[in-house]
Amino acid sequence: MEDFRRTYLRLCKEGGVDPQESVLAQLQETRGAAAGSRLDLRGHSLSVDTCAVLGRVLHKDTLFTELALSDCMLTEEGAKLLLNGLCANTTVKVLDLKGNNLRSTGAEALGKLLVRNKTLCRLVLEWNALGMWEEAFSVFCEGLATNACLTQLDLRNNQINHQGASELCLALKRNSTLQELDVRWNNIGLLGGRSFLEALQQNRTLTHLEMAGNNIPSDTLKALEQAMDHNSDRQSTVRESRSRTQVLSKEIQILKEEKGRQFLSLMETIDKQRDEMGRSTRTTSIHVGQLQEALNERKSVVNSLTAKFQMTEAALAMSEQKNHNLGELLTRVKTEKDEQRERQSRERKKEQEDSALREGKLLREINSMSETNVQLKNKLEKMESRCKSQQDQIFELKQELTNSTAELKLRLAQAEERLEMEKKRSKHVHCGFVCESQRALQDRILKLEGQRIQLEEELSRAKAACVTERAQAEEEQGKVRVQVRLEEQQRVSGLEEKLRGLRQSRDESQSHCSQQKQTIAELQARSGQQSIETDGLRRRIEELQQELSGKDQEKVAEVSRVRVELQEQMGHLQAERTAQGGLKEKIAALEREMKVLASNHREATLDKESEISSLFEKLRLREAEIQRMREDEAQRASFLQNAILTYVQGSPLHYSPKK
């Protein structure tokens, strides 16, 4: 704040301008208070020199984010200098210029500000006169069209007429960031309201529009409110879809990372098992070399072992029992392996059945989606047929009106001819005959008025029928929207259930891997026990070398079998992983199809809504034409009645019907 005050005083000295006391006092108050980002100069009358200095200070200022200049009695030149200084500012986000009576040059300066400034988000222009000069206001609208950062605009009490509203609507068609617009208490009128409706058919970002006090009919205001509701619903649906896609992408990424970690852990365990098996083979080869050395030493001591032959026989018996026990253990291990293989086959069958069921469910969902699309197409065809029937009814009513107007014109022509004939005859005929002709003419006028009343009743009936059909169409549109929302919720719930199933399958695969690790550990413990027992037998007996070698070969075969089984399990796990990848690709493809179908459906609904709005506008125009024709007929009837009265009274006739 002190830097801003110093630069202000320095620029005043350089420019030879006396600093304004009110501005210095306000800066002193803001410096004494808590340091804030708002410069409040409301109610201070700022001169042209002060505006020029403030514009130069704000050109490079980075402190204030909000600038309040309401009711400052700014001149056109002062406002231009101040706004030119704000063009290059990069921190001010809120600008309040309420009640400064800005006109042509102010509107042009505001247009340049909107073109150059890239940070302004809220602009308040209440109680100005921007709409009085059409060229300057068009420059302002051009700047609004090219602006890409403004979200709130206040244009209350700016004397904007229907032409200014059309320029503003052209800017709204090109703008894609403005969200709130306030144009209350102007002179927009019916034509301006219609131009706003046309602009909102292209603008998808404006969600809040205030248009009270503009002499706009209630039906156009309702249509504008509906367009605002459509924009807000569209933005909410876009936000929900984005959040859902982000959540789903995150969950899919987490699943991929977990699968990669599991695969890496499995590879690490397999490498560790391979290292342990290599170490065990090395230790067994070392033990075999040691046994061979011991055997060479024992050969020299064969004679000394003859006395111990009986003890060796007992040891042989014990070794036979141990061999028998080892055989039983091997059979048990084989049976356990067979059981594990059967379990794995059963689990694979279950997984295949589950995958088939999931594919069936996905196909059913696709069929249901196609059926719903067919139903929606049928409903749209019904709506189109109803619109066509309404158009035919309106055409018939127009034909009836044209026929009735033609008949009335013929009758008027006949009445005029008869009046002229009666004028000619009145010179030679008695006054009694004139009275009789007057009575006949009055009877004809009464008949014409009865026909006019009947036509008005028929028109009111046709209007009531159109209103009822319109209400029915709106109700059907609401039902269709509710059905679409329910279907989207059901689809989201189905996708969540699929994700839960995938998580359950992942947990089951993890449990299978843990069980396999436990079985491998048990087998390793048993192999260690067997190696210890074989070492003891080798040290005790020399004649069991061949049997021990056979057992070593069997162990090597078992190890090779275990390796083969582990490789098969790895192959199955890789196959399961590829299957899961295929399922994920199918899910992604289905999600893309869902998105495409949803986008197509939304586009179709928007097109139908635009067509319905255009039909409503056509109906309003035709009703206005019918009202105008009724007024013309009433005027002609009044002219005819006045002519008859003037003829009866004997005054000269002056008839000039409107065309």
Side-chain angles (χ1 to χ4, degrees):
M1 185 64 70
E2 187 64 27
D3 294 335
F4 186 86
R5 186 170 176 275
R6 289 174 182 173
T7 53
Y8 174 70
L9 292 172
R10 181 174 57 79
L11 291 174
C12 286
K13 288 180 181 179
E14 290 177 359
V17 178
D18 294 331
Q20 195 167 345
E21 294 295 332
S22 60
V23 176
L24 289 174
Q26 187 65 32
L27 292 174
Q28 188 68 28
E29 288 178 1
T30 52
R31 185 182 68 176
S37 61
R38 176 183 172 87
L39 180 60
D40 192 355
L41 297 175
R42 293 178 294 179
H44 298 284
S45 60
L46 302 177
S47 62
V48 177
D49 296 332
T50 303
C51 291
V53 174
L54 285 174
R56 292 175 64 187
V57 175
L58 292 170
H59 182 76
K60 296 181 180 179
D61 181 61
T62 59
L63 177 63
F64 296 109
T65 60
E66 185 174 355
L67 187 60
L69 298 173
S70 60
D71 300 323
C72 289
M73 299 177 67
L74 297 176
T75 61
E76 293 287 309
E77 186 65 26
K80 183 178 179 181
L81 293 170
L82 187 61
L83 293 172
N84 288 331
L86 286 171
C87 287
N89 190 283
T90 59
T91 56
V92 175
K93 295 183 179 179
V94 179
L95 179 60
D96 188 359
L97 293 172
K98 176 183 175 182
N100 285 301
N101 198 18
L102 298 178
R103 298 188 180 183
S104 60
T105 56
E108 292 176 355
L110 285 168
K112 293 179 181 178
L113 175 67
L114 292 175
V115 171
R116 296 178 183 176
N117 195 309
K118 305 298 180 183
T119 58
L120 192 63
C121 296
R122 185 169 181 266
L123 181 60
V124 180
L125 299 172
E126 185 182 359
W127 288 107
N128 287 294
L130 300 177
M132 292 180 66
W133 284 266
E134 295 179 359
E135 294 179 356
F137 191 69
S138 64
V139 172
F140 171 75
C141 293
E142 184 66 25
L144 179 62
T146 58
N147 187 273
C149 60
L150 192 67
T151 59
Q152 296 179 3
L153 179 61
D154 191 351
L155 291 173
R156 290 179 287 178
N157 293 303
N158 271 276
Q159 300 181 13
I160 300 171
N161 56 9
H162 64 91
Q163 294 178 355
S166 63
E167 294 288 335
L168 189 60
C169 291
L170 291 173
L172 289 175
K173 289 179 181 179
R174 295 166 59 188
N175 193 322
S176 62
T177 57
L178 192 65
Q179 297 178 359
E180 296 182 7
L181 178 62
D182 194 348
V183 291
R184 289 179 288 179
W185 309 110
N186 287 297
N187 297 319
I188 292 174
L190 177 61
L191 296 175
R194 289 178 180 175
S195 61
F196 268 102
L197 281 174
E198 291 178 357
L200 289 174
Q201 289 180 359
Q202 296 182 7
N203 192 322
R204 305 298 184 189
T205 57
L206 193 65
T207 58
H208 188 72
L209 179 63
E210 296 289 341
M211 296 190 69
N214 283 296
N215 296 322
I216 298 173
S218 60
D219 53 355
T220 55
L221 289 174
K222 289 180 181 178
L224 289 169
E225 289 178 358
Q226 290 178 358
M228 292 295 101
D229 294 334
H230 287 312
N231 286 338
S232 61
D233 293 335
R234 191 179 293 108
Q235 288 186 358
S236 62
T237 51
V238 168
R239 290 171 185 168
E240 289 177 358
S241 63
R242 285 178 181 173
S243 63
R244 288 176 182 173
T245 51
Q246 288 177 358
V247 170
L248 289 172
S249 63
K250 287 180 181 178
E251 289 182 355
I252 290 165
Q253 188 67 28
I254 289 165
L255 289 172
K256 287 180 180 178
E257 290 177 356
E258 289 180 355
K259 291 291 183 183
R261 290 172 184 172
Q262 290 176 2
F263 181 72
L264 291 172
S265 64
L266 287 172
M267 292 298 290
E268 287 177 357
T269 53
I270 290 164
D271 292 332
K272 289 179 181 179
Q273 289 174 1
R274 286 177 180 174
D275 294 334
E276 290 177 356
M277 294 297 290
R279 290 173 184 174
S280 63
T281 52
R282 289 171 186 173
T283 53
T284 52
S285 63
I286 291 165
H287 287 300
V288 169
Q290 291 176 358
L291 289 171
Q292 286 179 358
E293 290 177 357
L295 286 171
N296 292 321
E297 291 176 357
R298 295 277 180 89
K299 285 179 181 178
S300 63
V301 195
V302 171
N303 295 320
S304 64
L305 291 174
T306 55
K308 299 178 181 179
F309 184 74
Q310 293 177 356
M311 294 176 70
T312 55
E313 287 180 354
L316 284 170
M318 293 293 289
S319 65
E320 287 177 357
Q321 289 180 358
K322 288 180 180 180
N323 288 323
H324 182 70
N325 293 325
L326 289 171
E328 290 179 354
L329 288 171
L330 289 171
T331 54
R332 287 177 185 175
V333 170
K334 288 179 180 180
T335 54
E336 288 177 356
K337 286 181 180 178
D338 294 331
E339 289 177 356
Q340 286 180 359
R341 288 176 183 174
E342 290 178 356
R343 288 176 185 174
Q344 288 178 358
S345 63
R346 289 174 185 174
E347 289 174 356
R348 288 172 188 169
K349 288 180 181 179
K350 286 181 181 179
E351 288 177 355
Q352 289 177 359
E353 291 176 356
D354 293 333
S355 63
L357 291 171
R358 288 173 186 171
E359 288 178 357
K361 286 181 181 178
L362 292 172
L363 291 172
R364 290 173 186 172
E365 289 177 357
I366 291 165
N367 292 323
S368 64
M369 288 290 292
S370 62
E371 290 177 357
T372 53
N373 288 324
V374 171
Q375 290 177 359
L376 290 171
K377 287 180 181 178
N378 293 325
K379 287 181 180 178
L380 290 172
E381 289 177 356
K382 289 180 181 178
M383 291 291 291
E384 289 177 354
S385 63
R386 287 182 181 176
C387 291
K388 288 180 181 179
S389 64
Q390 288 179 359
Q391 289 178 359
D392 295 334
Q393 289 178 0
I394 291 164
F395 182 72
E396 290 176 357
L397 289 170
K398 276 189 174 181
Q399 288 181 352
E400 290 179 358
L401 285 170
T402 52
N403 293 325
S404 62
T405 52
E407 288 179 359
L408 288 171
K409 287 179 181 178
L410 290 172
R411 288 177 183 176
L412 286 170
Q414 290 176 2
E416 289 177 355
E417 290 177 357
R418 288 177 182 175
L419 284 170
E420 290 177 357
M421 293 293 292
E422 287 175 357
K423 281 182 183 179
K424 292 178 181 179
R425 291 176 184 175
S426 62
K427 294 178 181 179
H428 303 284
V429 181
H430 198 262
C431 294
F433 183 76
V434 171
C435 293
E436 290 178 356
S437 64
Q438 185 178 359
R439 290 175 184 174
L441 287 170
Q442 287 179 356
D443 293 332
R444 289 175 184 174
I445 289 164
L446 292 171
K447 289 180 181 179
L448 290 171
E449 287 179 353
Q451 290 178 358
R452 183 174 60 80
I453 290 163
Q454 289 178 359
L455 289 170
E456 288 177 354
E457 290 177 353
E458 289 177 355
L459 286 170
S460 63
R461 290 174 186 173
K463 286 182 180 179
C466 291
V467 169
T468 54
E469 289 177 355
R470 191 185 300 168
Q472 290 177 1
E474 289 177 353
E475 290 178 356
E476 289 178 355
Q477 286 180 357
K479 291 178 181 179
V480 170
R481 289 175 184 171
V482 172
Q483 288 179 0
V484 170
R485 288 178 182 172
L486 291 172
E487 288 174 356
E488 288 180 353
Q489 291 177 359
Q490 291 177 0
R491 292 169 188 168
V492 171
S493 63
L495 290 171
E496 290 177 353
E497 289 178 357
K498 290 175 184 177
L499 287 171
R500 289 173 185 171
L502 289 171
R503 288 176 181 173
Q504 290 178 359
S505 63
R506 183 193 66 190
D507 295 332
E508 289 176 358
S509 63
Q510 288 179 355
S511 63
H512 288 308
C513 291
S514 63
Q515 289 177 2
Q516 289 176 0
K517 287 179 181 179
Q518 290 177 1
T519 54
I520 289 164
E522 290 176 357
L523 289 170
Q524 287 177 357
R526 290 176 183 175
S527 64
Q529 291 178 0
Q530 289 176 3
S531 63
I532 291 165
E533 291 176 356
T534 51
D535 290 331
L537 291 171
R538 284 172 184 175
R539 289 175 183 176
R540 292 177 183 177
I541 303 164
E542 294 177 354
E543 295 177 355
L544 295 173
Q545 289 179 357
Q546 294 178 357
E547 293 178 357
L548 288 171
S549 63
K551 289 178 182 179
D552 290 330
Q553 290 176 359
E554 288 178 357
K555 286 180 182 180
V556 172
E558 287 177 358
V559 170
S560 63
R561 288 176 187 174
V562 171
R563 287 180 181 175
V564 171
E565 288 177 357
L566 288 171
Q567 289 177 358
E568 289 178 355
Q569 289 177 1
M570 287 296 296
H572 291 304
L573 289 171
Q574 288 178 357
E576 289 177 358
R577 187 179 178 185
T578 54
Q580 288 179 359
L583 289 172
K584 287 180 182 178
E585 290 177 354
K586 288 180 181 178
I587 290 165
L590 289 171
E591 287 177 352
R592 292 172 186 170
E593 291 178 358
M594 293 269 290
K595 289 179 182 177
V596 171
L597 291 171
S599 62
N600 292 328
H601 179 66
R602 287 175 185 170
E603 290 177 355
T605 52
L606 290 172
D607 294 333
K608 292 298 178 183
E609 286 176 357
S610 63
E611 290 177 1
I612 289 165
S613 63
S614 64
L615 289 172
F616 285 164
E617 289 179 357
K618 289 179 182 178
L619 285 171
R620 288 170 192 159
L621 293 171
R622 288 173 183 173
E623 287 177 358
E625 290 177 358
I626 291 165
Q627 186 67 28
R628 184 175 58 76
M629 292 172 71
R630 286 173 64 190
E631 290 176 356
D632 292 335
E633 289 175 0
Q635 288 179 359
R636 288 173 183 172
S638 64
F639 283 134
L640 194 146
Q641 189 174 4
N642 292 325
I644 291 166
L645 290 172
T646 53
Y647 177 75
V648 170
Q649 292 175 1
S651 62
L653 180 62
H654 297 284
Y655 177 66
S656 62
K658 288 186 178 180
K659 294 184 180 179

